[in-house]
Amino acid sequence: MQRPDSGAGALEYIAVTLLIAGIVTAVSMSGVGATVAHACTSAVCRVLGDSCPLAQRDRGETPPGTLAHQTVRPTKPPLPKPVCRPNPDVPWFDRLNAHNDYQNRRPLTDSLNAGATSVEADVWWEDGELKLKHDKGTAKVGTLRDKYIDPLIERARQQGAVYPGRREPFQIFIEVKSKPKALAYKQILKEIKDLPPDVQVVLPLSAADPYEADRQAVIGAPSNVTFLTDFDECRIPANLDPRNPAYDHEYAQRVSILNGDFKKCVSSDAALSEDEKEEFTRLVQKAHDAGLKVRMWHGPDGQYRSDWFASGKGFGGDNPLMGDNEANGAFTKCLPGMHDCRRFRQIDWMDLELAAGVDYLPTNHLGAGAAHLKYCGLPPRTSYPTPPPPTKKPAPPTTLPSPSAGPAPAH
């Protein structure tokens, strides 16, 4: 075939280009993955030359008169927007995610008692153990095996399931902190073989790792593992976006959750404007359209886990800001100058997550999060009142009761 600059007619060139573009598009939509489609593109463009429209498409350009803008058929159907329905008697909350659960006074136990359906655990592979802790220098609060694997096995043995009657699996988000991560991943896959069938493990994919290495690990993972990856600067990654020619069917089939930093995608100071709320809602909808769930961390939740000012006891566990008292899971008192504890921002954040349809509500405050989800907003007997924005003169501290509206979850 002659190149277009060697005398080939324009109509002939366009016809051949469109024919081959159709073939490559069909290959892309067949589910063989981005790697094969890219190889086809490269082979075709070696024939057509530097002006090859397919090469322009592969680079994300959209030359006129080609099929570059055509949407790829997604591997997974769009997800419906989660709808919150008030139910004081529900034994679990599908969107309640226990952030850094191992820092709670009673890891896993507190989360299950609050009705959480997913928990997060940070692990370090050290001395032949998957140790639960946030930083290398802190003491472990246990191991993945003794705090999560064995208790979930025993709970399912006694009750038949983690939450009898629930269709969706209980999820453990595991973040590996130690390096090299491959050693920890190998041990995790070994230990989770014994988990009950209604428990699923969520493993993160590192944005720093080569895509192909990630891709092979994902495709070959066991069935009780799904994967989480980060937004690409608050956008859907190209290989998970059905509107992008780089969409990878096999990869997208196993990656189910997009993880984002709330303060980077919405507002760095958590003072939410209407424009930010609308943009955030559109971002969540785009992810759902691609068949992906959404989890946003680093919201204005507050790092203090309980009313440790009033505990009168020493700090405990891996979290130096956690008191050893029965108020674990409640919002703390907002003392003067304590900017991490502004109740009106915490409530505004929870309301936005619910309204936008975010699939996971990660919180350090299980009691407050459960109460909010139970009534899809502030409970009727206001458990955590929302004060007006602070004035120049700080308001005196107020004692806030632990969220207790409605009957306790039945287990």
Side-chain angles (χ1 to χ4, degrees):
M1 179 188 297
Q2 289 182 308
R3 297 187 181 218
D5 58 359
S6 301
L11 291 177
E12 177 186 356
Y13 171 69
I14 292 173
V16 173
T17 299
L18 289 176
L19 175 61
I20 300 177
I23 295 172
V24 173
T25 301
V27 169
S28 299
M29 295 177 64
S30 67
V32 298
T35 303
V36 175
H38 179 71
C40 291
T41 298
S42 300
V44 170
C45 287
R46 281 196 294 271
V47 177
L48 296 180
D50 295 335
S51 61
C52 174
L54 299 182
Q56 294 173 330
R57 187 189 76 167
D58 209 38
R59 293 192 298 266
E61 303 171 8
T62 55
T66 71
L67 302 181
H69 63 281
Q70 182 170 329
T71 299
V72 177
R73 177 169 50 85
T75 298
K76 294 180 290 189
L79 295 177
K81 178 181 177 179
V83 177
C84 187
R85 295 182 175 86
N87 188 347
D89 301 319
V90 69
W92 62 77
F93 304 99
D94 287 333
R95 299 155 78 175
L96 186 58
N97 175 243
H99 179 248
N100 289 346
D101 174 73
Y102 60 95
Q103 293 180 336
N104 283 319
R105 190 165 60 88
R106 295 170 297 179
L108 185 63
T109 298
D110 286 342
S111 295
L112 292 172
N113 287 345
T117 48
S118 61
V119 296
E120 180 188 33
D122 295 335
V123 301
W124 291 74
W125 175 244
E126 295 177 341
D127 306 320
E129 292 182 317
L130 290 169
K131 298 179 179 180
L132 297 168
K133 57 181 183 176
H134 194 273
D135 301 305
K136 184 176 179 60
T138 56
K140 73 173 184 179
V141 297
T143 66
L144 183 69
R145 186 85 210 181
D146 65 54
K147 294 296 184 182
Y148 293 97
I149 305 297
D150 289 340
L152 286 170
I153 292 173
E154 179 61 19
R155 182 181 174 96
R157 186 189 68 81
Q158 292 181 2
Q159 300 185 174
V162 177
Y163 286 120
R166 185 170 183 258
R167 295 180 180 179
E168 297 296 320
F170 182 86
Q171 293 180 310
I172 311 175
F173 288 68
I174 302 177
E175 182 175 352
V176 176
K177 295 282 191 176
S178 57
K179 295 181 180 180
K181 294 186 178 183
L183 297 176
Y185 280 124
K186 183 177 181 180
Q187 184 63 25
I188 289 171
L189 295 180
K190 182 185 298 184
E191 293 192 9
I192 66 174
K193 289 181 179 179
D194 301 331
L195 282 172
D198 67 327
V199 176
Q200 186 178 55
V201 171
V202 181
L203 294 178
L205 299 173
S206 172
D209 291 338
Y211 164 62
E212 190 60 29
D214 266 356
R215 184 177 186 277
Q216 294 305 322
V218 168
I219 294 172
S223 58
N224 65 341
V225 174
T226 190
F227 291 90
L228 167 152
T229 193
D230 292 335
F231 280 94
D232 180 12
E233 297 182 354
C234 302
R235 298 187 301 266
I236 300 176
N239 52 8
L240 295 174
D241 187 354
R243 300 168 302 171
N244 195 298
Y247 184 75
D248 188 326
H249 289 265
E250 287 183 300
Y251 186 78
Q253 185 65 38
R254 297 303 307 274
V255 179
S256 60
I257 303 167
L258 283 178
N259 192 50
D261 185 339
F262 186 88
K263 291 185 178 179
K264 290 182 179 179
C265 293
V266 186
S267 174
S268 60
D269 62 2
L272 306 177
S273 69
E274 291 304 314
D275 287 343
E276 287 172 327
K277 291 179 181 180
E278 290 178 5
E279 181 62 29
F280 177 66
T281 301
R282 284 193 293 268
L283 175 65
V284 175
Q285 185 59 55
K286 289 178 182 177
H288 285 166
D289 289 343
L292 296 161
K293 293 186 176 182
V294 176
R295 177 182 183 266
M296 302 297 294
W297 63 281
H298 208 194
D301 182 53
Q303 62 178 311
Y304 305 110
R305 291 179 175 264
S306 61
D307 192 7
W308 56 267
F309 291 108
S311 70
K313 300 181 181 180
F315 301 142
D318 183 56
N319 184 2
L321 302 176
M322 180 186 71
D324 184 17
N325 63 76
E326 293 301 325
N328 186 49
F331 282 143
T332 62
K333 293 184 295 186
C334 290
L335 297 183
M338 193 170 167
H339 300 298
D340 191 42
C341 187
R342 292 180 178 175
R343 194 74 65 247
F344 71 97
R345 287 189 177 175
Q346 292 170 330
I347 301 304
D348 202 21
W349 164 68
M350 285 187 174
D351 285 341
L352 175 60
E353 298 268 280
L354 292 184
V358 172
D359 303 274
Y360 298 90
L361 180 70
T363 179
N364 294 327
H365 308 289
L366 292 166
H372 207 82
L373 286 168
K374 184 180 296 185
Y375 293 97
C376 302
L378 286 175
R381 298 196 304 269
T382 308
S383 299
Y384 36 98
T386 305
T391 60
K392 293 182 180 180
K393 294 182 179 181
T398 304
T399 300
L400 299 175
S402 174
S404 59
H411 300 289

